[in-house]
Amino acid sequence: MHKLVVLLALAGGIAPAQELTGRWVVTADYYGTPVNIRLSLQQQGEKLTGTFQGDKLEGSLSGGTVHFVARDDDGNSATVDAKLAGGALTGTMVLADADDPQRPRKHSFTASKVEPRRGGPSRHHEFTPSVFYRQFSPFNKPVLTVAPGDTIHTTTVDAGGADEKSVTRVLGGNPETGPFYIETAAPGDILVVHLNRLKLNRDWAGSDDFLVPRAVDSDLAVKMKDAGKSIRWHLDLARGVATPEKPSEHLKQYSVPLGPMLGCIATAPSLAQAPPPTGDSGRFGGNMDFNEIVEGATVYLPVSVPGALLYLGDGHAAQGDGELNGNALETSMDVEFTVDVIPQKRIQSPRVESATHIMAVGLEGSLDDAFRTATASMAQWLADDYKLTPSEIAQVLGTAAEYRIGEVADRNAGVVLKLNKERLAALK
Amino acid sequence: MHKLVVLLALAGGIAPAQELTGRWVVTADYYGTPVNIRLSLQQQGEKLTGTFQGDKLEGSLSGGTVHFVARDDDGNSATVDAKLAGGALTGTMVLADADDPQRPRKHSFTASKVEPRRGGPSRHHEFTPSVFYRQFSPFNKPVLTVAPGDTIHTTTVDAGGADEKSVTRVLGGNPETGPFYIETAAPGDILVVHLNRLKLNRDWAGSDDFLVPRAVDSDLAVKMKDAGKSIRWHLDLARGVATPEKPSEHLKQYSVPLGPMLGCIATAPSLAQAPPPTGDSGRFGGNMDFNEIVEGATVYLPVSVPGALLYLGDGHAAQGDGELNGNALETSMDVEFTVDVIPQKRIQSPRVESATHIMAVGLEGSLDDAFRTATASMAQWLADDYKLTPSEIAQVLGTAAEYRIGEVADRNAGVVLKLNKERLAALK
Amino acid sequence: MHKLVVLLALAGGIAPAQELTGRWVVTADYYGTPVNIRLSLQQQGEKLTGTFQGDKLEGSLSGGTVHFVARDDDGNSATVDAKLAGGALTGTMVLADADDPQRPRKHSFTASKVEPRRGGPSRHHEFTPSVFYRQFSPFNKPVLTVAPGDTIHTTTVDAGGADEKSVTRVLGGNPETGPFYIETAAPGDILVVHLNRLKLNRDWAGSDDFLVPRAVDSDLAVKMKDAGKSIRWHLDLARGVATPEKPSEHLKQYSVPLGPMLGCIATAPSLAQAPPPTGDSGRFGGNMDFNEIVEGATVYLPVSVPGALLYLGDGHAAQGDGELNGNALETSMDVEFTVDVIPQKRIQSPRVESATHIMAVGLEGSLDDAFRTATASMAQWLADDYKLTPSEIAQVLGTAAEYRIGEVADRNAGVVLKLNKERLAALK
Amino acid sequence: MHKLVVLLALAGGIAPAQELTGRWVVTADYYGTPVNIRLSLQQQGEKLTGTFQGDKLEGSLSGGTVHFVARDDDGNSATVDAKLAGGALTGTMVLADADDPQRPRKHSFTASKVEPRRGGPSRHHEFTPSVFYRQFSPFNKPVLTVAPGDTIHTTTVDAGGADEKSVTRVLGGNPETGPFYIETAAPGDILVVHLNRLKLNRDWAGSDDFLVPRAVDSDLAVKMKDAGKSIRWHLDLARGVATPEKPSEHLKQYSVPLGPMLGCIATAPSLAQAPPPTGDSGRFGGNMDFNEIVEGATVYLPVSVPGALLYLGDGHAAQGDGELNGNALETSMDVEFTVDVIPQKRIQSPRVESATHIMAVGLEGSLDDAFRTATASMAQWLADDYKLTPSEIAQVLGTAAEYRIGEVADRNAGVVLKLNKERLAALK
């Protein structure tokens, strides 16, 4: 190392090669709103290459000062100047549109490096929640920081806010446990959540005898006009069944098998987006109310902010497809899950994987639109991971598609496209 | 028997009590259009009671002349006068609206009694089709008359009109085998079709690599823009799998299990309705393209004309949910089925029953509407057959509903609501 | 003319050049189903060129025998051999697929020339209907043959079949006047119908107080549960208003301006398609129930069979958007219209033109789909007639689109995209 | 006034009758989440009557201590105990469910009286915004407090955050001016906003040549695949037209009339609801993008929090129906409006009134659902304000409904049902 470099490094300025090289998360100030930008740097001596929000950049490091320019295919450019101090970058970016170069926009920013994946054994965390959030917000302070590969054991309150002791802890509306900060997770990654265990931890669930508007035609609406009262279900954990506590005449023998599931699992959306309520869903996951998000399932969600910020909640002891009552058998839950991070891979919508199937979840304002999104999302999956051509995608979907209706109770309807792994095994 | 009665009877006029008592099918002439009306008569001496299109009637039989008046709750009336001859009634009905009695409408009609259910053992029919119809029409001449309980063994051509020898017999568009006339089936009944056997009878099926418009969003539409070519599949009946005859690179090992199913099964709609094309579906069944209409399944369809007029066709060697390619693996089929009739019972939409599930099929112009129809139809089923109250219906559906997407390839989309018989066993 | 030619011509064989040159309509027999095919021939001596269903053909005429081969871009071929006699062609076509040439398909056919447009003044026809059809069928015998440019004056019965004297003439369901055969109209053309006059010809209309299912959410369905009775409206032709005959308390002063319109206007769909009921709609027009199909409007419909076969009916004295009651103010009508034919031009969906607007009608199973079809159809219109690029289409639609909901009462919903001609004037 | 009362009053405790009588806004703490509850009190001596969230209450005032119990029809109860100090109430409410009385829920609360409507002349406010919000949040601090009847003159930035000087002030996404606090507005009221003036204040607008996914079918999606570039429009305020700055070949003469409108106008939703992003819409109004929200229009929105908290933004120089490009002609705006409050009246969805029409706006996840909501909302309007029965509502809507498609560019689609005031005049 050149003496000057040593000097500068000692002065807190320059970084050794290994310091700049890597993935960074930039947080820029867009007129008062924070915005995350993806940055990847390779340092060779004073030369810098890499990508800035996916576009190629070239620049230099000189005396603790970073300068680079990135350009996209349309000729729009970003010119970045920053100081390196304490492992962080602080500076400005000037964005210029190719067709309006006279009006560049200047934003200040800070950037920090995505923490490297830690070595060593993965850890087990016991976490007892004390606060429950009602928005999938990137601004809530993480309740726990974990590493990829770590396992967390915790509990969730029911949709109405009551915990395993039937104590109401928070106003209802699917209050969530979390957010959990997962190290190394950066915008553009995928968060992987494997549900090791979903265990019921009390003996009752709340539901009702309503049918949601999306499920009724005008005749059925008239028939159901007096429905809508609360129904409390007894959860017989030993026998593995749920029964109405006070069954009416024809339901005296009626029971359903317990099928513990999580109605909500989400990452935080991006900083610039209004934090969604915990009754909502979208590309970030959320209140999907899909009854195959059960013990043993793996859920894949996009990472939009550093640490991903994972939320879980809205446990159901059992639920028919669609959550037709608006409420399923709402109850508290004992949850154990293991997290992982797949770096720099995009998914179009939430994915779920079971022992037998891969599943793409479409969440839109109507079943017709959710159906299209589920199909398009699975087509993307087959193109990305199985390298299928459009013609091949059509042939596989046409012969192997299995659709389930996930959810009709909330603002978004959910349709799930499932493919049996036996079909897929021959594609690899 | 009084002498006079004998005399009149000899004169070809009067009927003995057992002759008028029973269900009749009236075919009235509505300004040139034939219309079926349900009539049920009980004769006690000269006195007649019963129902006319569901409304109570009172009248008399006198000297071979029938006269009765039926009235509905709103005060609308039907006054019927007819002659009995050769076991048939011929006469006129005068319909008067309560709020417009000055403008009665007079229609001539003929009526014949619904044939009684025959005793004796049920029969097996071998039927080789020579004509294939392209509309589910009540006006096509029945190709075979069978009794409830009888079994028919026949074949169907593929959707393109080619038979088991690959000979094109008819223009494509789901040409059908049938119609079969089922004795005793009268408007207002249910036809029951149990599929004893669905056997493939040739070694190829035709399909394509297109995705139907309902399944693609705008991004996927662009990706699929060059798709749309024919794909021929080899059917390996011994191994029970289908494989593309000329597989492209990634599909060289791809195969799907054979799952022979009927895309079309229908009764004829009512006489006053325009006969639907065999690509259409509705309350009468038709081109439902639901991949659980397989060997072992039982299908329930409404009877709208005397004899029900059953059509079958559009065999698929295998089909993913929704028939996403527009074509499934289209092939000819060897079919054996047993028919039965449930008198005087209404269903809101087609029903399917398997060993494990009951299923209500909703067929409408969008998935959202088909979802509502499937739900409403199953609610009706639970009310009618299980005597559940609206509150109980909501509780059962909320905990036990399983939805499948049957069909997105045709004018109607299809959604199916399934209930596991294990849940239902406790309701009886 | 060469002697030999004369000789052959006398022998009933050869045609003079002017006889073969022109557009023909081929009616082929596809395994029992008639199918129309477009044929255009140019004869130069014995040489034949032209197009067969749009594909280029080459062949020869020799001794009254026509032979030609047409090929499409994919290498599929049609080989035609026919005899000319009495101005008609009779023969066979052999169709061979490029990828399956071993299985050619042979169909017999007859063909006749599209009659040339007659010279001379256009005529006025008085037509009193005596039969009314309940399907838009290509198989109904034309009631009158007219030439492009001719004007027809006739009447229509109301949706329930009652005429201007309140006499029921036919079973209800939008019975139609027609079909009218328009000379020179051949498959692939556009039929133009200008409505010169729509005049009410009786003093009442029938309607009801129901709201169709598509218009009600579950709350409104409950509120409307007891509605559904007939409402008779008085048509005050002098004052130009309609009022309920027996108005309830709050409607004693209520009146609506008369706005006579045709609920149905259609051409017959193609021979191979099942004839649609007169309550249905589609690319052929039909029961569009669009309240801008009024006196002064021009309607453009595709021609699918020789003569177009124009149907009209379902007059409404007035109708709010969507025909929310299922019935509008249903009444008989006095209609005068002028027809014309635009040869060889395709439209994606029905078009309507008023003094101020051009309008594309989308008719699909949901409002969402009908909206897309209306937009796509207008985009096509702007591309075809105004030569706009996709970018320009987006700019014009984004700034000038006006949408109306045409129809929600029938199987298809209708959405109409209107563009003001003032905007379009600058595009030409 | 009785001496004892005076004494107690002096002791800081009791309130004179006029102090407690009136409407109050209660803000309760539901496990950490603030919730507003409506309270209306009538004091007669020590006796208290009134309503608590709409349910009747009875209680007493004694020595500065308020105690009352409210009960609903199902037997659920609220027991309130509070101290009066400084014109405010502070205390607790205990909520007990009729069917679960053993688990009452206790919440602390504060309450303050809704300020009375001020006398005196209404005022004019000049307001220059310095902050622009990107959520319709009840938690943003009001920028100005005004009284019913007051007029505010202000400006809005464009959807991208640029002001009248083309200076970007805030990150895009429909940043809003406001919120304005309107005195006397309390949850359960209606806020009335009359737009006196909408004036363009710069000479350009930004748009693009994209078509939103909701508008394209799969064919049009393929045609539009390369569209999506920015289009800048020149606003000629003198001539009143907009033209593309760099028109392509066929648009060289194209212009559209200026039609300044507000894409966004909203009240804040309730405290317990996650604040919606400014691209969203709902019962609170928001990003409705309806091109009849223009100068001269009056908008009615529900009040969900004290002061209503009015937001405005997203000005469009012109917009075709639906905002098909995703962006309209986005520009900054000079706005003058007058506010008013209608106390204690509920509306189902936003309402707009012009000189000629009343309009109910339906905003849902699909056009089909938005259509239903618009219809149901107008039905409610006719029932509430015109006292029409369900039968009368059906007759009026069936004959007078006019539907417009407001918006297809955002998460919610918008359909508007308009009724001409000429029809309605006869109903009053």
Side-chain angles (χ1 to χ4, degrees), chain A residues 344-357:
Chain A
Q344 292 173 282
K345 182 170 177 182
R346 188 186 147 75
I347 49 176
Q348 189 167 343
S349 76
R351 297 177 178 180
V352 181
E353 187 170 351
S354 72
T356 59
H357 286 79

Side-chain angles (χ1 to χ4, degrees), chain B residues 266-287:
Chain B
T267 49
S270 70
L271 298 175
Q273 191 178 334
T278 47
D280 206 352
S281 64
R283 196 175 152 258
F284 61 91
N287 186 24

Side-chain angles (χ1 to χ4, degrees), chain D residues 118 123 125 144-148 150-152 180-184 339:
Chain D
R118 273 188 286 168
R123 290 180 298 170
H125 306 264
L144 184 71
T145 294
V146 302
D150 284 2
T151 295
I152 298 99
F180 300 99
Y181 184 102
I182 291 88
E183 291 172 352
T184 84
V339 295

Side-chain angles (χ1 to χ4, degrees), chain B residues 259-346:
Chain B
M261 56 164 280
L262 284 182
C264 291
I265 179 164
T267 49
S270 70
L271 298 175
Q273 191 178 334
T278 47
D280 206 352
S281 64
R283 196 175 152 258
F284 61 91
N287 186 24
M288 298 184 278
D289 289 322
F290 174 40
N291 57 17
E292 301 202 38
I293 298 185
V294 294
E295 186 170 299
T298 304
V299 180
Y300 301 82
L301 298 169
V303 177
S304 301
V305 294
L309 298 188
L310 172 67
Y311 292 88
L312 309 98
D314 190 26
H316 299 162
Q319 184 206 290
D321 288 356
E323 204 189 24
L324 294 177
N325 303 135
N327 289 298
L329 268 52
E330 307 289 343
T331 193
S332 59
M333 199 76 75
D334 186 289
V335 187
E336 189 196 88
F337 59 95
T338 300
V339 295
D340 209 340
V341 174
I342 303 174
Q344 292 174 286
K345 182 171 176 181
R346 186 185 149 78

Side-chain angles (χ1 to χ4, degrees), chain C residues 129-412:
Chain C
S130 58
V131 60
F132 304 90
Y133 287 108
R134 299 177 69 256
Q135 294 180 40
F136 299 116
S137 172
F139 301 110
N140 291 326
K141 194 170 173 301
V143 293
L144 184 71
T145 295
V146 302
D150 284 3
T151 294
I152 299 99
H153 177 228
T154 188
T155 56
T156 57
V157 294
D158 69 22
D163 66 13
E164 64 275 17
K165 298 190 175 101
S166 304
V167 176
T168 299
R169 304 282 296 275
V170 53
L171 179 61
N174 302 336
E176 304 286 311
T177 296
F180 299 98
Y181 184 102
I182 291 85
E183 290 172 355
T184 83
D189 296 348
I190 294 177
L191 180 69
V192 185
V193 184
H194 182 71
L195 298 174
N196 307 311
R197 198 171 66 185
L198 279 187
K199 225 166 71 77
L200 298 170
N201 57 7
R202 74 182 193 208
D203 68 354
W204 67 276
S207 194
D208 61 69
D209 68 355
F210 178 66
L211 284 180
V212 296
R214 228 189 268 271
V216 298
D217 64 8
S218 40
D219 284 347
L220 187 52
V222 173
K223 287 177 196 158
M224 298 303 300
K225 72 185 159 52
D226 299 320
K229 67 174 184 299
S230 294
I231 304 284
R232 204 172 141 112
W233 291 72
H234 174 66
L235 308 181
D236 185 333
L237 306 193
R239 288 178 50 225
V241 296
T243 50
E245 283 194 356
K246 300 173 186 171
S248 57
E249 184 189 351
H250 303 95
L251 300 189
K252 293 214 184 301
Q253 308 299 324
Y254 185 70
S255 68
V256 291
L258 295 173
M261 57 165 278
L262 284 182
C264 291
I265 180 165
T267 48
S270 70
L271 297 175
Q273 191 178 334
T278 46
D280 207 352
S281 65
R283 195 174 152 258
F284 60 90
N287 186 24
M288 298 185 277
D289 289 324
F290 175 39
N291 57 19
E292 301 202 38
I293 298 184
V294 293
E295 186 170 301
T298 303
V299 180
Y300 301 82
L301 297 170
V303 177
S304 301
V305 294
L309 297 189
L310 172 67
Y311 292 89
L312 309 99
D314 190 26
H316 298 162
Q319 184 205 287
D321 287 357
E323 204 189 26
L324 295 177
N325 303 134
N327 290 297
L329 268 52
E330 307 289 343
T331 194
S332 59
M333 200 76 76
D334 185 290
V335 186
E336 190 196 88
F337 59 94
T338 300
V339 295
D340 208 339
V341 174
I342 303 175
Q344 292 172 283
K345 181 170 178 182
R346 188 185 147 76
I347 49 177
Q348 190 167 342
S349 75
R351 297 178 177 178
V352 181
E353 187 171 350
S354 71
T356 59
H357 287 78
I358 67 169
M359 314 182 220
V361 183
L363 298 155
E364 302 289 348
S366 69
L367 285 172
D368 287 274
D369 283 346
F371 176 78
R372 274 186 275 273
T373 296
T375 309
S377 176
M378 183 59 89
Q380 189 64 42
W381 197 342
L382 293 175
D384 288 348
D385 287 18
Y386 297 84
K387 310 303 173 200
L388 298 196
T389 65
S391 167
E392 291 169 338
I393 289 168
Q395 293 175 63
V396 169
L397 293 183
T399 50
E402 301 174 33
Y403 286 98
R404 294 284 293 271
I405 290 178
E407 145 90 300
V408 295
D410 294 295
R411 185 169 177 190
N412 274 343

